[in-house]
């Protein structure tokens, strides 16, 4: 049930009753419109009533973006993002988004504002380092994700009807350069790693054999070495916050799991495990974390930082002239090696903890096609026999 109230020349207030409170008082939604006459006002009332009764109506909000940002941070972001991602988004919002759009009401932010924001970064506007070159597609995508999160949560909280950033097209992501997988590289790494300290050798072999990431490697504890099953369990990762604090977090995409390892590698790991336990028994109260015994840690139990693994690896590569192979690329080498050994793709996908087998296919499809061609060649023998007969 709706009504019209004339407010002035060409101005009308529309009112729609949506229900009644406990005291029998009508609950109304109102909207002010400017039209020429009452006939047009009735037309607007019909539209407004249909919008309200269909459930598509969103009550206007006068919350500014910078005010809502505090709510987003406290009531959503701190519980939904990993520490490093949260820090990155906070930096983007406070340094890039709030200065431009913080004064605007949430309802006034339109898709074109998001387009202009992204387009400005493509042209190099608003760079924090003072340079005039465009920002990289990956940086632009991260800025979009932060902006989109703000507006998406505002939609979920019922502050705006639709997320204006929802259907914006982003710059194409740059495809990462594929790792140059060669047997020569593997042979050189293996021959060179034997000259490194024992603990570094074990780190290399775990990464190469299991395909784990740096953060997952340094987060390994004694309890994750399952000697009776001959496996290593990956269920957590280690990250370093901007202040230097190390924090254990859940594994990427929540995909924990185990990876079987050779007996020889298990013996190498058990040697380190026994040493860490001995140090723990000696220090006890002075141990970094009384509830955890990290495998790759200093004499007081403090684990290695993930970036320290990459730093060591960079020096190792340089000393041995191995080439442009990152420590993370050992994960790709591990998968590629297994593909070439004709291990089923599903087994590989589970081993490196991809959420979907399609992820493995997307990343390593070209290697899988090469092996598949070799499989096809085996059938040539039947055609050879047919021709000879």
């Amino acid at each position: 049930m709706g009504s019209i109230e004339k407010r002035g020349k060409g101005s009308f207030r529309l009112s729609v009753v949506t229900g009644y409170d406990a005291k029998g008082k009508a609950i109304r939604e109102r909207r002010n419109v400017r039209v020429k006459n009452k006939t047009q006002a009735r037309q607007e009332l019909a539209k407004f009533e249909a919008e309200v009764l269909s459930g598509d109506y969103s009550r206007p909000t006068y919350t500014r973006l910078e005010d809502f940002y505090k709510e987003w941070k406290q009531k959503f972001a701190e519980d939904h993002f990993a520490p490093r991602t949260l820090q990155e988004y906070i930096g983007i919002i406070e340094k890039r988004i709030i200065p431009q759009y913080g004064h605007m009401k949430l309802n006034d932010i339109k898709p074109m504002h998001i387009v202009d924001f992204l387009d400005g970064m493509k042209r190099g506007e608003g760079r924090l380092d003072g340079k005039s070159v465009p920002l990289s597609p990956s940086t632009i995508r991260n800025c979009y994700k932060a902006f989109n999160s703000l507006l998406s949560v505002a939609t979920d909280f019922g502050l705006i009807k639709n997320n204006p950033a929802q259907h914006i097209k982003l710059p194409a992501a740059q495809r990462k350069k594929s790792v140059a997988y060669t047997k020569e590289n593997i042979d050189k790494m293996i021959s060179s790693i034997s000259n490194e300290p024992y603990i570094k050798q074990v780190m290399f072999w775990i990464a190469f054999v299991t395909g784990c990431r740096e953060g997952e490697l340094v987060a390994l504890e004694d309890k994750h070495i399952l000697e009776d099953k001959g496996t290593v369990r990956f269920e957590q990762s280690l990250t370093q916050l901007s202040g230097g604090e190390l924090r254990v977090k859940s594994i990427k995409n929540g995909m924990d799991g185990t990876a079987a390892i050779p007996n020889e590698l298990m013996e190498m790991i058990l040697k380190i495990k026994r040493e860490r336990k001995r140090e723990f028994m000696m220090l006890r109260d002075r141990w970094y974390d009384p509830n955890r015994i990290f495998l790759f840690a200093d004499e007081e139990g403090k684990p290695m930082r993930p970036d320290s693994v990459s730093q060591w690896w960079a020096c190792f590569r340089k000393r041995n002239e191995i080439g442009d192979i990152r420590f993370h690329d050992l994960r790709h080498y591990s998968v590629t090696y297994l593909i070439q050994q004709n291990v089923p793709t599903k087994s590989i996908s589970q081993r490196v903890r991809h959420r979907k087998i399609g992820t493995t296919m997307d990343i390593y499809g070209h290697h899988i096609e090469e092996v598949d061609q070799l499989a096809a060649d085996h059938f040539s023998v039947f055609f050879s026999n047919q021709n000879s007969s």
Side-chain angles (χ1 to χ4, degrees), residues 285-300:
D285 296 338
R286 290 180 291 154
W287 196 250
Y288 175 76
D289 185 340
N291 299 312
R292 301 179 187 274
I293 301 179
F294 291 102
L295 289 183
F296 304 111
D298 62 19
E299 61 277 5
E300 294 182 348

Side-chain angles (χ1 to χ4, degrees), residues 159-190:
L159 298 176
I160 53 178
K161 181 179 177 181
N162 295 306
N163 175 4
Q166 186 175 7
H167 300 296
I168 302 300
K169 292 184 178 180
L170 296 173
Q174 291 177 324
R175 295 188 66 87
K176 294 181 179 178
K177 184 176 67 173
S178 60
V179 179
Y181 177 91
T182 65
K183 186 176 184 302
E184 290 73 20
N185 279 340
I186 291 181
D187 291 342
K188 191 164 188 179
M189 284 191 292
I190 291 174

